[in-house]
């Protein structure tokens, strides 16, 4: 394969520098980014699409374990090798689908073995010529990116030139059209109104109010959403097959 693209993630600059020095002796490795916290890790993976992240566990904000769980949901997943000062998190690390667990100070021979394990993992993926469909959306937030896994999205609502993504952790704006999202993810979302798509897994039932207006009730609560009359027949059909 071509160079192994790699992100170094640690909140300690000296720890990142040591890993970079060790990697300088590893052939076929390209460090594409460094990160000091979990959110920066996710941002770097969106921007650079690395093969693997060397990931510390104890970091501010999103910690390494949570970042690893999010990266494991990607398609294909981003490989993770933990580099941490403690061995107490090994079980949790492998439950988060880590390929290896290195204890600081990282020894050169252990790092080499971990990278070889990553190459073996990548070589075992089935080849495909088809482009991979996204498994997450990205919202810009005060100069950074927030990664939103698609399976956490509850509904999408158009608002002027933006779309508001309502998800398990709140809501964010993305600069995409509702129509393009419907074209890309029509198997995951269903239109209930000209300005709203709802995740199929969120639909529970349709209720008609006293004034005859139909509303969609969502699995995780929140406000019931107005359904346009032209969408009611399709929604009733969708609910029968859920």
């Amino acid at each position: 394969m071509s160079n192994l693209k790699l992100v170094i993630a640690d909140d300690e600059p000296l720890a990142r520098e040591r890993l970079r020095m060790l990697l300088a002796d590893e052939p076929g490795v390209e460090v594409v980014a460094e990160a000091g916290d979990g959110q920066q890790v996710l941002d770097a993976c969106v921007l650079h699409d690395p093969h693997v992240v060397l990931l510390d566990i104890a970091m501010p904000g999103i910690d390494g374990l949570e970042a690893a769980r999010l990266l494991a949901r990607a398609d294909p997943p981003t490989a993770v090798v933990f580099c941490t000062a403690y061995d107490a998190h090994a079980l949790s690390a492998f439950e988060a689908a880590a390929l290896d667990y290195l204890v600081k100070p990282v020894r050169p021979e252990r790092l080499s073995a971990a990278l070889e394990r990553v190459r073996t993992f990548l070589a075992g993926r089935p080849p495909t010529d088809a482009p991979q469909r996204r498994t997450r959306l990205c919202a810009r937030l005060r100069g950074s990116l927030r990664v939103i896994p698609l399976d956490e999205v509850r509904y999408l609502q158009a608002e002027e030139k933006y779309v508001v993504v309502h998800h398990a952790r709140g809501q964010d704006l993305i600069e995409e059209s509702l129509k393009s999202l419907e074209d890309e993810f029509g198997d995951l979302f269903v239109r209930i109104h000209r300005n709203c798509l709802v995740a199929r897994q969120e639909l529970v039932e349709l209720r008609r109010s006293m004034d005859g207006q139909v509303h969609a009730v969502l699995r995780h609560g929140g406000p019931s959403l107005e359904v346009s009359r032209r969408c009611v027949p399709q929604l009733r059909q969708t609910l029968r097959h859920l």
Side-chain angles (χ1 to χ4, degrees):
M1 63 177 294
S2 57
N3 279 356
L4 195 66
K5 295 193 297 182
L6 185 147
V7 170
I8 299 172
D10 197 302
D11 62 337
E12 295 290 340
L14 289 178
R16 297 199 302 270
E17 179 61 26
R18 171 171 169 74
L19 283 174
R20 185 179 279 277
M21 290 174 62
L22 291 175
L23 290 166
D25 295 328
E26 291 288 336
V29 172
E30 178 187 2
V31 178
V32 295
E34 294 187 11
D37 59 50
Q39 186 61 57
Q40 290 180 11
V41 172
L42 300 177
D43 294 349
C45 288
V46 170
L47 293 174
H48 299 286
D49 193 24
H51 298 109
V52 59
V53 179
L54 299 185
L55 185 60
D56 191 17
I57 288 181
M59 295 190 296
I62 300 174
D63 67 13
L65 289 172
E66 179 60 22
R69 294 186 188 102
L70 292 171
L71 293 175
R73 297 178 186 176
D75 188 12
T78 302
V80 168
V81 171
F82 280 110
C83 300
T84 179
Y86 308 99
D87 58 8
H89 299 290
L91 179 58
S92 296
F94 288 112
E95 287 176 346
L99 291 185
D100 211 335
Y101 189 96
L102 309 182
V103 178
K104 298 174 183 177
V106 175
R107 302 194 311 273
E109 62 273 19
R110 279 292 289 119
L111 179 60
S112 295
L115 295 177
E116 188 58 35
R117 181 171 294 181
V118 171
R119 290 187 175 94
T120 300
F121 167 74
L122 295 173
R125 287 180 182 167
T128 176
D129 295 327
Q132 295 290 334
R133 188 173 72 166
R134 290 184 293 169
T135 60
R136 51 199 177 184
L137 300 176
C138 297
R140 295 198 175 274
L141 184 68
R142 294 187 293 276
S144 65
L145 294 176
R146 172 172 290 168
V147 177
I148 310 165
L150 279 172
D151 59 8
E152 293 186 5
V153 177
R154 294 174 179 170
Y155 61 100
L156 303 162
Q157 211 159 28
E159 186 174 292
E160 296 181 354
K161 65 177 182 177
Y162 300 100
V163 167
V164 183
V165 182
H166 296 263
H167 54 89
R169 292 170 287 149
Q171 60 184 57
D172 290 286
L173 293 176
I174 60 174
E175 296 182 29
E176 299 189 50
S177 73
L178 201 64
K179 181 63 169 63
S180 66
L181 292 168
E182 182 180 29
D183 291 343
E184 186 174 359
F185 304 113
D187 58 327
L188 301 179
F189 296 89
V190 60
R191 185 175 288 274
I192 68 166
H193 196 278
R194 61 180 178 80
N195 69 348
C196 188
L197 300 174
V198 173
R200 292 175 184 267
Q201 64 183 9
E202 281 293 316
L203 280 175
V204 174
E205 63 175 311
L206 300 179
R207 289 182 185 170
R208 190 178 297 275
S209 60
M210 296 294 292
D211 62 1
Q213 176 62 55
V214 176
H215 290 82
V217 179
L218 304 187
R219 188 176 307 281
H220 287 93
S224 58
L225 302 172
E226 181 179 334
V227 178
S228 67
R229 291 182 180 178
R230 64 183 298 180
C231 292
V232 170
Q234 178 189 356
L235 281 178
R236 292 196 191 281
Q237 189 71 16
T238 297
L239 282 168
R240 290 192 189 101
H241 291 88
L242 290 178

